Amino acid sequence: MILTVTLNAALDITYRVPRLHPHTTHRVTEVTERPGGKGLNVARVLAALGHRTVATGFAGGGTGDALRALLAQETLVTDALVPVGGATRRTVAVVDAATGDTTQLNEPGPTVSPAEWAAFLATYRELLGGARAVALCGSLPPGVPVDVYARLTRAARAAGVPVLLDTSGEPLRRGLAARPDLAKPNADELAALTGSTEPLRAARDARRRGAHAVAASLGPDGILAVTADGAWQAAPPRRFTGNPTGAGDSAVAGLLSGLVENLPWPDRLRRAVALSAATVRSPTAGDFDPTTYNDLLPQVTVTERPTAA
C-alpha cells in the first residue's frame, strides 16, 4: 500500500455561482463536499489509479466526522486518521461559472496537543511497516513542530520507505535536509526557498539542499524534474482553464504511482501532467476527469533539460 500523511486535513466545499461579484449576495447553483487536504486528495487520485492507499493525519469535530464519512465511500482508501479534540478545518472554493476562475478560502486547522501528536507518531511508525512509499503533504496545523516533516522523513528512510515531500516554507526547508527521495514544490514555493525565479536553477539548488530529486510544478507550463538520472520538463499540449484546486495533488499522485511502479522519469512526468490538467478540467475540487486524462496522456511532451549549469 501507499501511505499518505495529511496533518491539516480539511472538508473541501465547492460552491458554483453563475458569476462572482465582490460585495454582493450570490445564489449558489451547486454545492459539493469532498475529503480534502493535500494528502487526502493524493490518496483519492491514487485509488482511482488502482493503488491501495492508507490515509493518516488528524481529524476532529463535526467537520472531521463529515470528512471521515465521505472518506469511507472511497474504494481502496483506508482511514487511519488520528482523532483530535479540535474541529477539522474547512476549505471553500467558489467557482465562477462564467470565467472558470476559482476563489479559495482556507481555514487554519485545529490545535494539536502533545498527546495527540504522540498518538499520531505511534500510528505513523506502525503504518510504515506495510508501506511501499509515503507522501508527506500540506500545511501544518497549530501545535505541530515546524521540523515535523524532517522527523517523518527520517523515520520513513530508517524503515526503508521512499518519501515524497510536498509542503512549503520552513517545513520544506527543514524537510529537504532529511533527504526525501522526491520534493514537489510549485514554482512560487521553489522561488521562496531558493531566491531564484528561474525554475531549472532553483530546482538544482533545491536538490543540493538534500532532496534526491525535485519535481517542480510550473502551472500551465507543466512539471520540471531534476534527478540523479537526468532532468526533464513535461508540458501539456495546450493551456487549460478551470478549477486548479487539487491539480498539484493529482500531480503528486502521478509521480508517486510512477515511483512504486518503477516507471522511467519521462513516463512519471507524463502521467503527472496529464492528471494535473484533467483535474483543472474537472468541475469539482480534487477530482480528475478520466476521459480527459486518457486523451491527454499521449499528448504530453517531455523535453530533456541540462542537469548542470
Side-chain angles (χ1 to χ4, degrees), residues 41-136:
N41 288 337
V42 171
R44 291 170 49 237
V45 176
L46 285 169
L49 295 172
H51 288 276
R52 189 169 68 87
T53 308
V54 175
T56 190
F58 298 107
T63 48
D65 292 342
L67 182 153
R68 301 185 86 158
L70 291 168
L71 194 61
Q73 300 173 21
E74 301 285 341
T75 58
L76 297 180
V77 180
T78 299
D79 176 356
L81 296 167
V82 175
V84 292
T88 294
R89 68 190 178 122
R90 295 162 296 185
T91 64
V92 179
V94 183
V95 180
D96 184 326
T99 64
D101 292 337
T102 300
T103 299
Q104 190 81 17
L105 305 172
N106 295 337
E107 296 179 356
T111 298
V112 176
S113 72
E116 291 163 346
W117 174 241
F120 166 79
L121 284 178
T123 297
Y124 175 73
R125 292 189 179 107
E126 182 178 353
L127 291 170
L128 285 174
R132 299 174 63 193
V134 58
L136 307 175

Side-chain angles (χ1 to χ4, degrees), residues 203-268:
R204 293 184 191 129
D205 186 347
R207 187 167 178 267
R208 285 192 292 268
R209 293 168 186 253
H212 290 270
V214 174
S217 294
L218 305 180
D221 294 324
I223 297 176
L224 170 69
V226 177
T227 80
D229 301 319
W232 300 268
Q233 183 168 343
R238 58 192 180 278
R239 290 176 176 251
F240 293 90
T241 59
N243 185 355
T245 306
D249 306 328
S250 291
V252 168
L255 294 168
L256 198 58
S257 61
L259 184 155
V260 300
E261 294 172 28
N262 201 31
L263 295 181
W265 268 104
D267 291 341
R268 298 185 201 184

